Amino acid sequence: MKALLATILCLAISGCLGYHVGPVKPYYLRDIHSIAVPTFKNRTLVPRIEVLVTDTVIKQFQQDGTFVITSDDKADATLSGEISRINRLPARSVRGNVLATTEFNIALTLKFSLTTRDGKPLAGPNEVTGTTSFFVTSDVTTDERQALPLATEDLATRLVTQLSEGW
């Protein structure tokens, strides 16, 4: 009985020897291990949003763990980006008054490209959008400012997923 159990256990374990857990990068990024992320350009009218977006993207890369974030001189590739649009669209209006809005959707769009150290393009130029919604209180500007980090986190998650998993 013990010999049969040992044989079954050995056969079950031998089927798992070729399998490994860890990051599975897209084929075109197989040689890229470290990425530099300089501060993105800001083409919007929102001041200092480029620092928030860049920091959030770096934190998401560190959380994902597929690529190491490092300086330009040590990196295998550089992720450059440009914040191109921030759209605020009404999502819900007050019952009986269609001109008064109670909820907005906000969308933050980043154009990006990933290039090797010698300038050869690896990914992009492409676009990624992060979205969220927020309810309106007495100060719409403050409400929008508080919603921007949520849209930035959504954008960073989509960007890192696109680069680390290929979709």
Side-chain angles (χ1 to χ4, degrees), residues 4-154:
L4 179 64
L5 185 61
T7 305
I8 291 173
L9 183 64
C10 287
L11 289 174
I13 291 175
S14 68
C16 300
L17 293 178
Y19 182 78
H20 67 283
V21 178
V24 181
K25 294 184 266 191
Y27 183 74
Y28 63 91
L29 297 176
R30 66 189 176 282
D31 297 328
I32 305 300
H33 303 289
S34 60
I35 294 179
V37 184
T39 305
F40 298 141
K41 294 181 176 94
N42 184 7
R43 301 287 183 228
T44 68
L45 298 176
V46 178
R48 295 183 301 279
I49 190 72
E50 68 274 10
V51 175
L52 174 67
V53 174
T54 306
D55 286 347
T56 308
V57 168
I58 289 171
K59 287 177 187 173
Q60 188 64 35
F61 269 120
Q62 290 170 338
Q63 186 176 2
D64 180 73
T66 304
F67 301 104
V68 175
I69 302 300
T70 187
S71 60
D72 284 334
D73 56 334
K74 297 176 185 174
D76 298 329
T78 301
L79 176 68
S80 54
E82 172 182 295
I83 304 163
S84 59
R85 285 189 311 269
I86 298 176
N87 291 336
R88 183 179 73 188
L89 300 168
R92 199 179 294 183
S93 60
V94 176
R95 199 176 275 193
N97 184 2
V98 294
L99 298 177
T101 303
T102 59
E103 184 181 8
F104 281 102
N105 288 332
I106 191 165
L108 184 77
T109 304
L110 176 77
K111 294 179 182 178
F112 72 93
S113 62
L114 185 69
T115 56
T116 60
R117 189 180 296 186
D118 56 348
K120 185 178 101 176
L122 291 170
N126 209 343
E127 224 175 61
V128 66
T129 302
T131 60
T132 192
S133 62
F134 65 94
F135 289 98
V136 177
T137 60
S138 59
D139 187 8
V140 178
T141 306
T142 303
D143 297 334
E144 181 178 0
R145 196 172 321 127
Q146 290 175 349
L148 276 173
L150 298 174
T152 302
E153 285 180 26
D154 185 50

